[in-house]
């Protein structure tokens, strides 16, 4: 403020000096110079005070700002660094979680060869040998089957292929000519194999298969209930198995009271060189399992623990004493057997061809029951005299 006033006063003096019409004297010039000096001094003092005040204000305002900034920075740093450690731990846990979750849970399973194998609780890619006995139960349950054996030439068993959708299933060779390379390429997480050896069964040892994927060998030559329950437990489909079993047994219970009393049934598989193969009471094929479940008698020749019994052609009149004869469609040539026309069931017109070659599951058994129910209900139980 003083400097501004001095400047104005100096301006007035200058005007009085320069604007006067009188000639400037030395005295007037001296006065002007003194006045100017006084103004400069005054302005200098004011500037110092202003600078001092400004510095003081700046110092006093910047210190708290720096402290506040430092405090805020430290707080933010501390606040950020602490969650960062938690986030890192959480991210690490999250990253390892998929590995843990992706680890395949397994359970020990003892197969019919006495081997205990660690198998996945929920297998996702299963290969099975023999589409009729081992693969068909998986198809019936809806299990993830990716490969199964064929009947030769890459063609699946026609009845099985007709009964189920096998479009996503790859042939792994014939059941006695397994293609290990194809099995490996399918990347199975479970292999269901035979518990047999010999030329009729797979040509690759189970321990070789075990190197590809956990391999379980099951013997289908047991009761149908035991075999199919074992398969269902192996692949984790026991609920589906129980539902199909209960539906089948309900139909059996419904049909039993309607059947003729004292009815007998014989089931023929097919003729073989030197004989005719029939189903025993132990055979899990629906054609023979259904009569057993219904309580229908089978002739003495069928009372065996072996699933098939071979009978010489010359003995069929003696052995094939039954009111009804059922034969598999593949065994149609049996009608050309000598003495065939002399059989009581043939003469009574109670011989029926049944296509049961799709499999042995309860689901398929229901379909077969639909097919033979009428034959059994209308059969004459007195064809064979006691």
């Amino acid at each position: 403020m003083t400097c501004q006033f001095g400047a104005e006063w100096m301006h007035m003096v200058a005007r009085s000096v320069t604007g006067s019409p009188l000639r400037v004297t030395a005295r007037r010039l001296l006065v002007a110079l003194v006045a100017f000096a006084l103004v400069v001094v005054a302005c200098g003092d004011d500037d110092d005070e202003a600078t001092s005040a400004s510095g003081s204000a700046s110092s006093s305002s910047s210190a708290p700002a720096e402290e506040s900034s430092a405090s805020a920075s430290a707080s933010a740093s501390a606040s950020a660094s602490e969650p960062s450690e938690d986030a890192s731990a959480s991210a690490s846990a999250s990253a390892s979680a998929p590995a843990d979750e992706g680890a395949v849970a397994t359970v020990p399973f003892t197969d019919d060869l006495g081997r205990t194998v660690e198998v996945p609780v929920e297998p996702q890619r299963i290969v099975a040998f023999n589409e009729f006995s081992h693969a068909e139960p998986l198809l019936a349950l809806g299990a993830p089957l990716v490969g199964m054996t064929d009947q030769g030439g890459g063609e699946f068993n026609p009845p099985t292929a007709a009964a189920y959708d096998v479009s996503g299933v790859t042939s792994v060779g014939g059941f006695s000519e397994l293609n290990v390379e194809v099995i490996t390429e399918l990347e199975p997480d479970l292999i269901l194999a035979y518990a047999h050896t010999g030329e009729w069964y797979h040509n690759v040892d189970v321990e070789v298969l075990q190197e590809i994927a956990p391999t379980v060998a099951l013997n289908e030559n047991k009761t149908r209930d035991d075999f199919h329950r074992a398969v269902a437990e192996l692949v984790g489909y026991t609920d589906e198995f129980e539902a199909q079993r209960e539906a089948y047994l309900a139909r059996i219970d419904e049909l039993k009271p309607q059947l003729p009393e004292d009815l007998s049934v014989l089931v023929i598989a097919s003729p073989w060189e030197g004989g005719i193969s029939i189903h025993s009471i132990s055979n899990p094929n629906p054609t023979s399992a259904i009569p057993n479940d219904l309580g229908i008698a089978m002739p003495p020749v069928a009372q065996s623990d072996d699933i098939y019994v071979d009978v010489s052609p010359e003995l069929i009149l003696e052995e094939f004493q039954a009111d009804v004869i059922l034969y598999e469609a593949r065994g149609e040539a049996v009608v050309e057997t000598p003495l065939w026309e002399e059989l009581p069931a043939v003469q009574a017109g109670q011989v029926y061809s049944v296509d049961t070659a799709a499999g042995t599951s309860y689901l398929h058994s229901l379909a077969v029951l639909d097919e033979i129910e009428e034959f059994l209900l209308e059969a004459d139980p007195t064809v064979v005299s006691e």
Side-chain angles (χ1 to χ4, degrees), residues 187-318:
E187 298 183 345
D189 56 5
L190 178 65
I191 296 175
L192 178 56
Y194 282 115
H196 308 291
T197 57
E199 62 179 353
W200 274 100
Y201 303 101
H202 45 74
N203 56 312
V204 181
D205 189 82
V206 291
E207 295 305 331
V208 174
L209 297 169
Q210 179 70 32
E211 295 177 4
I212 301 173
T215 300
V216 171
L218 293 181
N219 184 354
E220 79 278 15
N221 295 352
K222 57 177 71 175
T223 69
R224 178 182 47 168
D225 207 57
D226 288 344
F227 176 71
H228 285 274
R229 179 174 280 106
V231 172
E233 289 176 352
L234 172 65
V235 299
Y237 278 70
T238 53
D239 289 345
E240 290 79 358
F241 165 76
E242 292 298 344
Q244 292 176 11
R245 179 177 179 274
E246 289 174 11
Y248 169 78
L249 293 178
R251 282 287 308 283
I252 291 293
D253 290 341
E254 179 185 353
L255 189 58
K256 267 184 180 179
Q258 305 175 48
L259 290 172
E261 292 183 7
D262 301 322
L263 185 66
S264 60
V265 172
L266 175 73
V267 181
I268 297 175
S270 61
W272 294 85
E273 184 178 350
I276 298 174
S277 181
I278 69 169
H279 289 202
S280 76
I281 60 172
S282 305
N283 197 305
N285 188 294
T287 322
S288 47
I290 289 171
N292 274 333
D293 294 336
L294 288 170
I296 297 175
M298 298 183 77
V301 68
Q303 309 300 313
S304 173
D305 291 334
D306 295 327
I307 62 175
Y308 293 106
V309 177
D310 290 336
V311 179
S312 298
E314 65 272 15
L315 297 178
I316 66 171
L317 275 179
E318 177 186 344

Side-chain angles (χ1 to χ4, degrees), residues 325-349:
I325 291 180
L326 303 175
Y327 67 87
E328 295 183 23
R330 64 183 176 133
E332 189 171 357
V334 72
V335 301
E336 300 173 5
T337 304
L339 305 177
W340 176 259
E341 295 296 334
E342 298 182 35
L343 293 173
V346 175
Q347 293 181 347

Side-chain angles (χ1 to χ4, degrees), residues 9-307:
W9 183 82
M10 182 63 191
H11 181 63
M12 289 173 62
V13 171
R15 285 183 61 191
S16 68
V17 173
T18 60
S20 173
L22 300 178
R23 189 176 55 179
V24 179
T25 63
R27 182 177 177 181
R28 286 182 177 179
L29 181 58
L30 179 62
V31 171
L33 290 173
V34 172
F36 177 74
L38 291 173
V39 170
V40 170
V41 171
C43 285
D45 290 341
D46 285 350
D47 287 342
D48 289 342
E49 289 175 7
T51 302
S52 175
S54 172
S56 174
S58 172
S59 174
S60 98
S61 64
S62 68
E66 290 173 358
E67 291 176 5
S68 174
S69 174
S71 173
S73 174
S75 173
S77 174
S79 171
S81 66
E82 289 179 318
S84 174
E85 293 178 2
D86 293 341
S88 175
S90 175
S92 175
S94 243
S96 64
D100 295 335
E101 292 172 4
V104 177
T106 63
V107 292
F109 190 97
T110 302
D111 68 9
D112 290 336
L113 293 178
R115 302 162 57 253
T116 298
V117 183
E118 287 292 329
V119 300
V121 174
E122 296 180 353
Q124 300 300 311
R125 298 183 62 81
I126 308 172
V127 168
F129 304 147
N130 194 314
E131 62 268 46
F132 176 78
S133 62
H134 286 55
E136 189 270 341
L138 299 173
L139 292 169
L141 293 170
L145 183 69
V146 297
M148 66 180 181
T149 50
D150 60 51
Q151 292 289 297
E155 296 294 327
F156 292 132
N157 178 34
T160 304
Y164 301 99
D165 179 9
V166 295
S167 58
V169 182
T170 299
S171 169
V172 295
F175 62 86
S176 61
E177 298 177 348
L178 298 178
N179 190 323
V180 175
E181 183 178 352
V182 172
I183 296 172
T184 304
E185 289 174 353
L186 287 174
E187 298 183 345
D189 56 5
L190 178 65
I191 296 175
L192 178 56
Y194 282 115
H196 308 291
T197 57
E199 62 179 353
W200 274 100
Y201 303 101
H202 45 74
N203 56 312
V204 181
D205 189 82
V206 291
E207 295 305 331
V208 174
L209 297 169
Q210 179 70 32
E211 295 177 4
I212 301 173
T215 300
V216 171
L218 293 181
N219 184 354
E220 79 278 15
N221 295 352
K222 57 177 71 175
T223 69
R224 178 182 47 168
D225 207 57
D226 288 344
F227 176 71
H228 285 274
R229 179 174 280 106
V231 172
E233 289 176 352
L234 172 65
V235 299
Y237 278 70
T238 53
D239 289 345
E240 290 79 358
F241 165 76
E242 292 298 344
Q244 292 176 11
R245 179 177 179 274
E246 289 174 11
Y248 169 78
L249 293 178
R251 282 287 308 283
I252 291 293
D253 290 341
E254 179 185 353
L255 189 58
K256 267 184 180 179
Q258 305 175 48
L259 290 172
E261 292 183 7
D262 301 322
L263 185 66
S264 60
V265 172
L266 175 73
V267 181
I268 297 175
S270 61
W272 294 85
E273 184 178 350
I276 298 174
S277 181
I278 69 169
H279 289 202
S280 76
I281 60 172
S282 305
N283 197 305
N285 188 294
T287 322
S288 47
I290 289 171
N292 274 333
D293 294 336
L294 288 170
I296 297 175
M298 298 183 77
V301 68
Q303 309 300 313
S304 173
D305 291 334
D306 295 327
I307 62 175

